[in-house]
Amino acid sequence: MNTQGRFWLESTSVLLVSREGGFVVTPGLSAPRRIDCQELSEPQRNKLQRVLEELDRQGSIHRSADVGGTADSPSDSHGDARRNSGAAPAGADGRWFRVTLEISSSLPSREWELDERAAPSSLIGLWKRGVQILDESDD
């Protein structure tokens, strides 16, 4: 990770993607995905890097936690952070994506949260199909 807050996926990085929220709690529908970068080719890892950079550009809620688990967000509560940023899904049945990047044991993890309605198609594809989406053309 450089000093400007950018990050680079490493072969030891792990990405967790889940969809949360909604009025009806149905754990199976969240279908969390785990993407282990050591199982990716270099082109797949580069494409995954671009997906995460897109999340940064969209200004989704971003949290970094140190190894001890403390966050640098304005609020340690996910609900408060979403409410304060305006990223909370509208209505009681709103859903959002949580993306957690564990870069390595020596670097802090990063986390993004964003309303399902604002999620880029690349993130939705990762959640639905996992690494298979990384092999598809961007066209």
Side-chain angles (χ1 to χ4, degrees):
M1 180 182 298
N2 72 24
T3 58
Q4 297 174 335
R6 284 188 46 110
F7 57 93
W8 298 103
L9 291 175
E10 300 176 2
S11 62
T12 57
S13 299
V14 174
L15 187 72
L16 306 169
V17 180
S18 61
R19 190 176 74 168
E20 301 178 2
F23 186 71
V24 177
V25 178
T26 328
L29 291 180
S30 70
R33 289 276 181 192
R34 178 185 169 93
I35 298 170
D36 192 339
C37 287
Q38 70 183 7
E39 298 173 3
L40 300 179
S41 66
E42 189 65 28
Q44 289 174 318
R45 195 170 23 242
N46 290 338
K47 189 166 183 180
L48 184 57
Q49 176 80 36
R50 290 191 303 272
V51 170
L52 298 178
E53 289 170 355
E54 183 176 4
L55 294 180
D56 270 352
R57 281 192 305 275
Q58 283 195 336
S60 57
I61 295 172
H62 174 261
R63 298 162 56 92
S64 293
D66 64 21
V67 176
T70 59
D72 68 1
S73 68
S75 168
D76 286 337
S77 162
H78 292 289
D80 289 344
R82 268 194 300 279
R83 260 193 311 281
N84 293 339
S85 73
D93 199 29
R95 289 184 292 268
W96 63 92
F97 284 97
R98 180 185 311 269
V99 180
T100 304
L101 175 63
E102 298 167 354
I103 299 173
S104 73
S105 60
S106 63
L107 292 173
S109 64
R110 294 173 61 103
E111 185 171 275
W112 296 263
E113 294 178 4
L114 69 157
D115 187 307
E116 179 181 51
R117 296 169 298 165
S121 60
S122 55
L123 176 61
I124 295 169
L126 274 176
W127 174 71
K128 286 183 175 180
R129 299 196 315 269
V131 297
Q132 176 185 3
I133 192 79
L134 299 174
D135 291 324
E136 297 175 4
S137 171
D138 289 330
D139 297 334

